Each structure stands twice: as structure tokens, then as C-alpha cells.
Amino acid sequence: MGGTTIRLSEEAKERLTLLKREDESFEDVIMRLTEDDKWAGFGALSDSPSDTRDGMKRLRSQMRDGIDDDIEDS
């Protein structure tokens, strides 16, 4: 299967990373977020409660890390 390279800003990559589930590639994230069902790829939600919980924990941790970085940069 062939591939295409696309350029993203660091901010765009960070946003995709926040939406990325543990078992997903960036391609998987983009495909999920662009499904016909606009709610299908919403945030860290998953079909499984434990996956949703894990995704929310990861999201909170990433947000805290980002806030800590912003404070240190100030």
C-alpha cells in the first residue's frame, strides 16, 4: 500500500496526539475523526468503558504536563 506524506504544524500534531487512543496510529485518528458519524470519533470516548477511562486518564495527564510546561516557560 502506498502512502502520502503530509506536513503538520507542531500545534496540529499535539492536537492529534491528544485525540489519539493508545492502540491507534495517526492515520487511525484521522480516519476516526472524519467518519460520517460526527460523534463517532469524539475525544477519548470508546466503545469500552475501561478504554474510555484509560483515554480520559491519559488526556488529563497530557493536559497537566502541558500546563506545567507553560508555567515553567513563563
Side-chain angles (χ1 to χ4, degrees):
M1 173 180 13
T4 299
T5 301
I6 58 173
R7 292 176 152 286
L8 296 173
S9 67
E10 284 298 316
E11 181 182 1
K13 183 177 181 242
E14 288 172 13
R15 288 182 184 195
L16 279 176
T17 300
L18 286 174
L19 298 172
K20 187 174 176 290
R21 296 176 181 161
E22 191 170 312
D23 61 337
E24 286 183 317
S25 66
F26 284 108
E27 179 177 357
D28 294 335
V29 175
I30 292 168
M31 296 301 289
R32 177 171 49 87
L33 294 174
T34 58
E35 287 183 25
D36 288 338
D37 178 1
K38 67 179 181 178
W39 298 108
F42 185 77
L45 299 181
S46 173
D47 294 334
S48 135
S50 65
D51 287 347
T52 297
R53 191 171 29 260
D54 292 344
M56 294 302 290
K57 285 179 185 177
R58 188 177 73 252
L59 182 59
R60 279 194 300 272
S61 174
Q62 290 170 338
M63 290 175 67
R64 286 185 185 124
D65 291 345
I67 290 170
D68 290 344
D69 291 344
D70 289 344
I71 291 171
E72 290 173 7
D73 291 341
S74 297

